[in-house]
Amino acid sequence: MLCAHNCDLIAVMMQHPEKVSVPVYTAVDREIFLRAIYPRRSPAVLRGVSLGPCLDKWTVDYLREKGGDREVKVHVSPVPQMDFLRKNFLYRTLPFDVFVQRAAETKHSDFFISEEESYYLRSLGDDPRRDPADLRKQFPGLTEDFSIPEFFEPEQFFSCVFRISSCGLQLWTHYDVMDNLLAQVSGRKRVVLYSPRDAEHLYLSGDKSEVLDIDSPDLKQYPKFAKARRYECVLEPGDLLFIPALWFHNTLALQFGIGVNVFWRHLKAESYDKKDPYGNKDPVAAARAMQVLERALHALGELPPDYRDFYARRMVLRIQSCAYSPEPEVAAQGCSPTETLTASDTETSLPSSQISHQD
Ligand SMILES: O=C(O)CCC(=O)C(=O)O
Ligand SMILES: [Fe+2]
C-alpha cells in the first residue's frame, strides 16, 4: 500500500516534464556491467540482479528478530523532509528492533518529538569514527540473506551500509566520493540525481545542496537551480541503482523502505582520505587543491577590488582551460572507442529488451 505522500509525488512529477529518466537495464551480469554501464559514469537502474533471500525474508518481524537489539544511532525528524540547514532533526539511540518497529509504523505511541515523527537509519561501523559500516559485522544474523553483487573487484570494497527509512522520509541532495550500488530490498523509493557537471547550479554547502525543496524550489533564492538537469527513477524492491562517485542524489521513500548500499572505490585506495568512515570526504588531492584555493583567495584579498576582480577572472579562465574536461560528446570523438562508450555504443551493445526507460 502506498502512503499519503505518494499523491503529492504524482503532482510533483507532472511539474517536471523535462526530467531525464534513468535507464533501466535487465539481465545485467558482471561482464555487461563492466563493458557497457560502468564506463559511462552515469546512473543506471539494474533490475533482476540477484540480491539473495532478503527480498522475501526481510519483513519487519524477521528483521526485529534477526537484527537483534544492538543500539543504533538514528535520525529522528518531526517532518519527513530532513533539513540540514535548519537542523530540524535529532540523533537518538534506540535498540535496532525498536527502531525497525518505529520506522515501519506511521503513528507512534512512544516518540521523541511527536506521534508522527519520521526515522532514518544509516548504519555505522563498530567504531563509528574510524570504521566504515559493514552489514556483515554489525548485523551477522542478517548477513546470509543479502548477496553483495560481484560487479567490482573485492579490493575495491569500501563499506556496506544498512539504510532504513520511514514512509515519506526525504534525504537532502548530496554526493559521495565512492561508486555506489544502492540495493532496494523492500518498499519503493524515488531517487533524483544531478550530474557532477551541474555542481554550479546546486548551491553547494560542502557535499550537500542548499536547495532542499527540489520539487518546488524557490527560484528567486536559487535561480541557477532551474538549469540543473534532473535525472529520476523509482526503485522497486529488488532494484539496484548504480550511482557513480560524485553524482548528486536525493532520495524520497514512497513507502517504509529497507535498503543496503555498497560503496566501492573508483580510484586507487591511496587517493582517498584514510580517516573517512562515511565515504564522503573529498579525495586527498582534491582536498589539497581546495586548501590552495583558499590561500589564493586570501592573497587576492590583499588587492583593491578592481585588481582582485581582474586577477580572479584570469584565475577562473586558467582553471577552465586547464582543468575542465571537454563536453562528453567532444570527448567521445577525441579518444579511442575502448576508452569511452557513447550512449549509442551502449544501446547497440545490449539487446533492446535489456534496456528501457521509466516514464
Ligand atoms: O537511504 C537513502 O535513501 C540514501 C542513500 C544514499 O545516500 C547512499 O546510498 O549514498
Ligand atoms: Fe549518498
Side-chain angles (χ1 to χ4, degrees):
M1 208 193 66
L2 298 182
C3 68
H5 304 287
N6 204 50
C7 302
D8 300 341
L9 174 72
I10 292 165
V12 156
M13 282 175 158
M14 291 170 72
Q15 288 164 24
H16 293 278
E18 74 289 0
K19 72 175 193 235
V20 178
S21 46
V22 175
V24 180
Y25 296 86
T26 52
V28 172
D29 59 15
R30 180 187 158 89
E31 190 276 318
I32 293 173
F33 178 76
L34 290 177
R35 175 171 50 82
I37 299 172
Y38 178 76
R40 296 183 65 189
R41 311 304 299 159
S42 61
V45 174
L46 318 180
R47 186 157 285 166
V49 174
S50 171
L51 299 177
C54 57
L55 239 53
D56 298 316
K57 282 190 168 173
W58 284 5
T59 60
V60 170
D61 289 341
Y62 180 90
L63 275 190
R64 294 187 62 185
E65 190 197 318
K66 298 281 181 160
D69 60 1
R70 72 173 280 141
E71 295 207 319
V72 286
K73 196 170 161 193
V74 299
H75 295 66
V76 185
S77 169
V79 289
Q81 187 176 68
M82 290 202 292
D83 179 342
F84 73 92
L85 292 170
R86 284 162 208 83
K87 201 154 188 307
N88 70 342
F89 55 90
L90 306 170
Y91 290 108
R92 286 291 176 269
T93 303
L94 284 174
F96 179 75
D97 51 355
V98 174
F99 157 73
V100 172
Q101 182 62 48
R102 295 248 199 125
E105 67 197 15
T106 44
K107 216 160 191 184
H108 318 292
S109 45
D110 278 332
F111 50 81
F112 297 105
I113 312 167
S114 73
E115 280 185 332
E116 295 192 343
E117 64 197 16
S118 300
Y119 291 82
Y120 179 61
L121 168 71
R122 183 250 188 253
S123 67
L124 302 171
D126 287 339
D127 176 350
R129 287 203 303 221
R130 285 199 7 219
D131 306 327
D134 190 342
L135 188 77
R136 296 167 294 193
K137 293 189 185 137
Q138 285 86 49
F139 297 93
L142 297 168
T143 307
E144 281 184 6
D145 301 339
F146 178 73
S147 324
I148 297 185
E150 291 177 350
F151 291 168
F152 291 79
E153 295 298 329
E155 56 274 20
Q156 287 176 277
F157 176 84
F158 177 75
S159 64
C160 180
V161 185
F162 226 158
R163 309 258 180 186
I164 301 182
S165 5
S166 293
C167 179
L169 197 284
Q170 185 168 24
L171 185 62
W172 49 71
T173 308
H174 66 280
Y175 71 90
D176 301 294
V177 301
M178 305 279 165
D179 279 350
N180 188 354
L181 287 176
L182 173 60
Q184 189 69 12
V185 176
S186 77
R188 301 172 75 229
K189 179 176 278 181
R190 184 193 80 173
V191 187
V192 174
L193 303 109
Y194 302 93
S195 160
R197 286 173 172 263
D198 265 325
E200 69 215 69
H201 303 130
L202 297 178
Y203 299 86
L204 296 182
S205 168
D207 60 340
K208 306 176 187 62
S209 165
E210 290 185 7
V211 186
L212 293 171
D213 190 350
I214 59 167
D215 296 315
S216 44
D218 180 346
L219 293 179
K220 285 210 177 73
Q221 194 179 0
Y222 305 116
K224 288 190 275 187
F225 186 70
K227 296 203 173 145
R229 182 181 290 172
R230 176 184 175 111
Y231 291 74
E232 186 165 330
C233 57
V234 173
L235 301 180
E236 307 284 341
D239 284 352
L240 257 186
L241 174 63
F242 172 51
I243 310 178
L246 311 183
W247 272 76
F248 296 90
H249 44 287
N250 177 298
T251 61
L252 173 61
L254 304 177
Q255 297 171 314
F256 162 66
I258 304 165
V260 178
N261 93 279
V262 188
F263 280 129
W264 306 88
R265 294 185 190 88
H266 177 221
L267 309 176
K268 292 199 208 91
E270 316 81 81
S271 307
Y272 297 100
D273 191 322
K274 289 195 175 50
K275 295 196 192 97
D276 175 19
Y278 291 94
N280 63 3
K281 281 203 184 167
D282 294 315
V284 281
R288 220 170 54 232
M290 300 289 248
Q291 273 172 12
V292 174
L293 173 67
E294 289 307 315
R295 294 218 330 256
L297 288 172
H298 190 77
L300 283 182
E302 292 173 22
L303 294 165
D306 45 348
Y307 285 73
R308 186 163 68 227
D309 178 278
F310 176 68
Y311 286 100
R313 286 172 195 276
R314 288 199 52 192
M315 286 165 67
V316 168
L317 288 171
R318 177 110 177 98
I319 290 177
Q320 282 176 339
S321 69
C322 292
Y324 275 26
S325 306
E327 290 302 319
E329 296 76 13
V330 180
Q333 286 161 12
C335 63
S336 79
T338 49
E339 282 165 15
T340 304
L341 276 163
T342 62
S344 56
D345 286 335
T346 309
E347 286 177 18
T348 50
S349 63
L350 288 180
S352 56
S353 60
Q354 276 179 236
I355 177 169
S356 64
H357 289 81
Q358 290 177 334
D359 295 318

